[in-house]
Structure formats: structure tokens, C-alpha cells
């Protein structure tokens, strides 16, 4: 999904009257459903428009907010959702148009806040409970904005009397792929936007030393679930860690079972060899997507050798998720920079990236070339 779980919860939370805390009434919800070409954000990004024209969320970096607010007023007045398209591909657009220069065509679903409330409540609850949710929204035909949703593998909910047959909806939801799909309906084919919504990453930090604090702080800033495990009660002081951090006292000297689901990332960093061995052994027995171990690679090998003598043998899959030393090679020095490198590596892993290849390379300027006419 394009929107992070933290962004999604912040936007959807305002659709619930009890969560608005005196803020102005939400007017409409705008969702980017398709991009052709380049764009600041990808499909799934959202922008909530309030009645005082203030906004929450982010779709285009603010460049199209005025136009989206105007569309929000229109759909609130008519009560009907609609697709608004912005074509930014013309060469002169960057100068004479919105000034974005993104060279893409954006399709944005703008719907009354009331229409989005039911699905928004279900999705917010699912993400908060660390459950996967899949959302299917019609973006063409006579029922634009109608949607179905599915939490885990439960029966789909929502929809309308007129629309794609239930079998087509189930098939699209079960496919597990985000993007636009074409579905049959009684009135002809319709397009729908399918979105996979995952709970935020859970970061389990094994060891509550001084250098664990900046790791938890950076993870919390991204809206991740943060858990710290240590067998020393004194260092598990809530005042040392960001609000909401779960603190677990392990059994005396050994690692208890770690709170891991399939979107969990473990960092072993207690600085104590025996304690780290226990944490690493516990992590290897889970389905954590990432296991990072602080310290040089030689130390990780010693930990693995010690575990092997106790019959804990890493598999080929373990080799793919083990990272030692933990963190991207940023040349980091000191706890704060090392924390940044670790959280960056976890983020890359959560997005299916290695973090090793640069996003862009230095641009080769031809200083001798004549300016284009």
C-alpha cells in the first residue's frame, strides 16, 4: 500500500465522531486510485478534507490540495462520490499549470465522509488489531465509491445490490494484489481499486541498553509497534522509551518466547553474549521477517556456533533473514546514527528492498553542451 499504517490510522480515525477531539467535521475523503506515469505518491495515499478546508494526510505534496478541496465540497453537496482526474503530462504544465512537473495522470476518488465511515471504522480496527485487510472499491460505472472489504480470510462485507457478482468480488479480494482490476457486472465491465492494508511493522528490540533507546525512538516516530525485551527490570523503565512501547521482562537470564507475528522484525542488541545467544535462538524459532544482530559478523558466527552445539541449526531461510551486523552500511558512528541504519534496513526489508542499491546515481552533467532552445 502507498499510505503507511500510521498515515491510514490518522486519516481514518477522524471519520469516527468520537475520535475527532473537537476538530471540524470531516467533509470528504480523497484516495489516489490510479497513476499513469510518475507521481509524488502512489495509489492508496489519502487526504481527508474538513469543513473548514483544512486537511489531514497527503496526496500530492500540497500541489493539488485546492482543487481536491473544491471537489470535496461538490461531493459533500451532491452526496455522490466521483473520480477526479488530473493530467500533468503536458510539457508546459510545470510552468503554466499546477507547477508539479511529475508528468503523470492521477485518478483520485473523492467521496463524502459519511460514505467512507463504515469501511473506515472496520479498516482502522483491523490495522490496530494487527490483522490484514483487503479493500475493493468501484471506480467506474454507476456505483463509484461502493466497496467491499475483507479482514484476514473472513467473508467479504459491504457492497451493493447492483455491481459485480459476489464470486468476482471474492476472487479479486483473494488474489492478494493491489491495483486496478476489471470485473463483470450486469451493466457491463467495471473497474475497481484493490488495496492490501497491512498492520504497521512490529519491532522487537532484545536488550534495553543505552543504544536501544534511539532505535525505539526512531521506530516509534514511524508509527511502528515497538517491544523491548530484557531480563533486567531496572533498565525497563517506561520513562526511557517512547510512549506506547511494550516492555517485557524475560525469565531470569533466558529469552522467553518473543511476541512475533509475520510482520515482525527482531533486533538482538543486549551486548551480553549469553543473553544474545538466548534471544537469537528464540528469534530463529519464530517467523520473524528480519533478525538483526548488533556487532561484527564474527560475533554473530560465534553465537550461531554456540547455538549449534545446543542443536539449534539455522536453515537456508534463516540465512536470508539474518543480518549481522544489523543495519545498512551508512558509515554510522554512535548510537543515534547506528539506530538510523538499523531502522532503515528494517524499513527496506518491510518494503521488499535490499537497501543496497542506490535509488538514484549522481547525474552526469555535460557542462560543454549548449542549452536546449
Amino acid at each position: 500500500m502507498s499510505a503507511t499504517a500510521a498515515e491510514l490510522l490518522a486519516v481514518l480515525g477522524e471519520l469516527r465522531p468520537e475520535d475527532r477531539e473537537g476538530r471540524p467535521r470531516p467533509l470528504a475523503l480523497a484516495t489516489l486510485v490510479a497513476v499513469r506515469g510518475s507521481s509524488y505518491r502512489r495509489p492508496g495515499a489519502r487526504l481527508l478534507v474538513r469543513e473548514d478546508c483544512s486537511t489531514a494526510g497527503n496526496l500530492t505534496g500540497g500541489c493539488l490540495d485546492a482543487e481536491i478541496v473544491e471537489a470535496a465540497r461538490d461531493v459533500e453537496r451532491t452526496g455522490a462520490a466521483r473520480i477526479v482526474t488530473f493530467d500533468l503530462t503536458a510539457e508546459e504544465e510545470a510552468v503554466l499549470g499546477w507547477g508539479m512537473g511529475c508528468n503523470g495522470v492521477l485518478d483520485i476518488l473523492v467521496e463524502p465522509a459519511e460514505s467512507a465511515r463504515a469501511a473506515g471504522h472496520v479498516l482502522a480496527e483491523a490495522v490496530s488489531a494487527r490483522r490484514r485487510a483487503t479493500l475493493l472499491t468501484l471506480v467506474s460505472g454507476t456505483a463509484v465509491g461502493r466497496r467491499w472489504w475483507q479482514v484476514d480470510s473472513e467473508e467479504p462485507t459491504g457492497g451493493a445490490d447492483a455491481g459485480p457478482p459476489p464470486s468476482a468480488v471474492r476472487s479479486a479480494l483473494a488474489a492478494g494484489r493491489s491495483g486496478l482490476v476489471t470485473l463483470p457486472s450486469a451493466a457491463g465491465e467495471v473497474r475497481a481499486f484493490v488495496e492490501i492494508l497491512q498492520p504497521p511493522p512490529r519491532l522487537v528490540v532484545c536488550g534495553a541498553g543505552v543504544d536501544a533507546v534511539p532505535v525505539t525512538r526512531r521506530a516509534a516516530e514511524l508509527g511502528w509497534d515497538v517491544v523491548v525485551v530484557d531480563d533486567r527490570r531496572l533498565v525497563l523503565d517506561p520513562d526511557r522509551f517512547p510512549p506506547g512501547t511494550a516492555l517485557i521482562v524475560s525469565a531470569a537470564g533466558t529469552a522467553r518466547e518473543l511476541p512475533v507475528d509475520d510482520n515482525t522484525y527482531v533486533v538482538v542488541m543486549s551486548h551480553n553474549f549469553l543473553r544474545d545467544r538466548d534471544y537469537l535462538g528464540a528469534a530463529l524459532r519464530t517467523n520473524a521477517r528480519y533478525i538483526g544482530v548488533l556487532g561484527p559478523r564474527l560475533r554473530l558466527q560465534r553465537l550461531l556456533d554456540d547455538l549449534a552445539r545446543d542443536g539449534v541449526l539455522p536453515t537456508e531461510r534463516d540465512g536470508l533473514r539474518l543480518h549481522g551486523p544489523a543495519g545498512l552500511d551508512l558509515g554510522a558512528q554512535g548510537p543515534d546514527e547506528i539506530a538510523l541504519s538499523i531502522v532503515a534496513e528494517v524499513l527496506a526489508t518491510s518494503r521488499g528492498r535490499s537497501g543496497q542499491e542506490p535509488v538514484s546515481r549522481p547525474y552526469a552533467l555535460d557542462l560543454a553542451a549548449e542549452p536546449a532552445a
Side-chain angles (χ1 to χ4, degrees):
M1 67 180 174
S2 176
T4 66
E7 286 181 301
L8 182 69
L9 290 174
V11 170
L12 296 182
E14 288 205 38
L15 293 174
R16 301 167 63 173
E18 66 272 19
D19 290 347
R20 291 210 302 272
E21 300 178 355
R23 287 187 291 263
R25 179 177 66 93
L27 205 66
L29 180 67
T31 304
L32 183 59
V33 297
V35 172
R36 297 178 294 284
S38 60
S39 171
Y40 177 71
R41 299 297 302 269
R42 304 308 297 171
R46 288 173 168 82
L47 184 76
L48 181 87
V49 179
R50 307 183 185 100
E51 61 182 346
D52 65 350
C53 298
S54 62
T55 61
N58 194 307
L59 277 186
T60 63
C63 300
L64 295 174
D65 281 9
E67 286 76 13
I68 296 172
V69 167
E70 193 59 38
R73 287 175 174 154
D74 183 58
V75 301
E76 201 271 342
R77 182 172 58 253
T78 63
R82 66 186 181 97
I83 297 292
V84 181
T85 299
F86 297 96
D87 188 345
L88 313 172
T89 58
E91 288 293 333
E92 65 273 14
E93 187 281 319
V95 177
L96 302 176
W98 290 289
M100 294 179 67
C102 290
N103 297 108
V105 179
L106 283 59
D107 291 335
I108 298 174
L109 169 67
V110 185
E111 59 186 318
E114 189 65 35
S115 301
R117 182 166 289 135
H121 175 76
V122 172
L123 295 177
E125 291 294 322
V127 173
S128 297
R130 301 194 61 75
R131 302 179 68 188
R132 168 183 161 132
T134 308
L135 185 67
L136 183 149
T137 306
L138 297 183
V139 296
S140 72
T142 59
V144 170
R146 299 291 178 89
R147 55 172 52 93
W148 291 256
W149 55 88
Q150 183 177 42
V151 177
D152 292 335
S153 58
E154 295 174 356
E155 189 68 15
T157 304
D161 295 335
S167 59
V169 171
R170 289 193 188 93
S171 178
L173 289 171
R177 294 188 299 272
S178 292
L180 288 177
V181 298
T182 300
L183 302 176
S185 75
E189 289 187 337
V190 294
R191 291 194 311 161
F193 174 52
V194 179
E195 186 179 9
I196 310 299
L197 305 173
Q198 297 280 9
R202 169 176 286 160
L203 183 66
V204 177
V205 180
C206 299
V210 173
D211 52 356
V213 175
V215 174
T216 63
R217 185 172 61 246
R218 291 194 179 276
E221 288 171 351
L222 294 175
W224 297 358
D225 287 348
V226 182
V227 179
V228 179
V229 182
D230 204 300
D231 64 346
R232 299 166 294 174
R233 292 181 180 273
L234 288 179
V235 296
L236 289 175
D237 181 352
D239 292 337
R240 299 179 63 226
F241 300 99
T245 301
L247 304 177
I248 296 179
V249 180
S250 65
T254 63
R256 57 181 288 178
E257 287 303 313
L258 303 177
V260 170
D261 58 21
D262 58 7
N263 195 27
T264 297
Y265 306 79
V266 178
V267 180
V268 176
M269 52 184 307
S270 80
H271 295 281
N272 179 282
F273 186 87
L274 295 180
R275 194 180 290 126
D276 280 355
R277 181 196 62 186
D278 290 336
Y279 289 138
L280 178 57
L284 290 171
R285 290 191 292 271
T286 71
N287 60 342
R289 291 183 59 187
Y290 166 101
I291 303 172
V293 181
L294 196 68
R297 182 171 289 272
L298 179 61
R299 183 175 186 271
L300 172 58
Q301 189 58 57
R302 287 179 55 215
L303 289 167
L304 292 172
D305 291 342
D306 207 59
L307 286 170
R309 285 191 285 271
D310 291 337
V312 180
L313 301 174
T315 64
E316 185 176 344
R317 172 178 174 268
D318 292 333
L320 296 176
R321 60 184 181 146
L322 267 173
H323 296 255
L328 297 181
D329 184 5
L330 306 179
Q333 298 289 333
D336 288 327
E337 292 184 1
I338 292 172
L340 175 62
S341 73
I342 291 174
V343 171
E345 185 171 60
V346 171
L347 177 63
T349 303
S350 73
R351 301 288 167 79
R353 305 294 180 89
S354 69
Q356 304 301 320
E357 292 296 323
V359 176
S360 62
R361 291 173 173 80
Y363 189 75
L365 292 172
D366 186 355
L367 299 180
E370 292 293 328

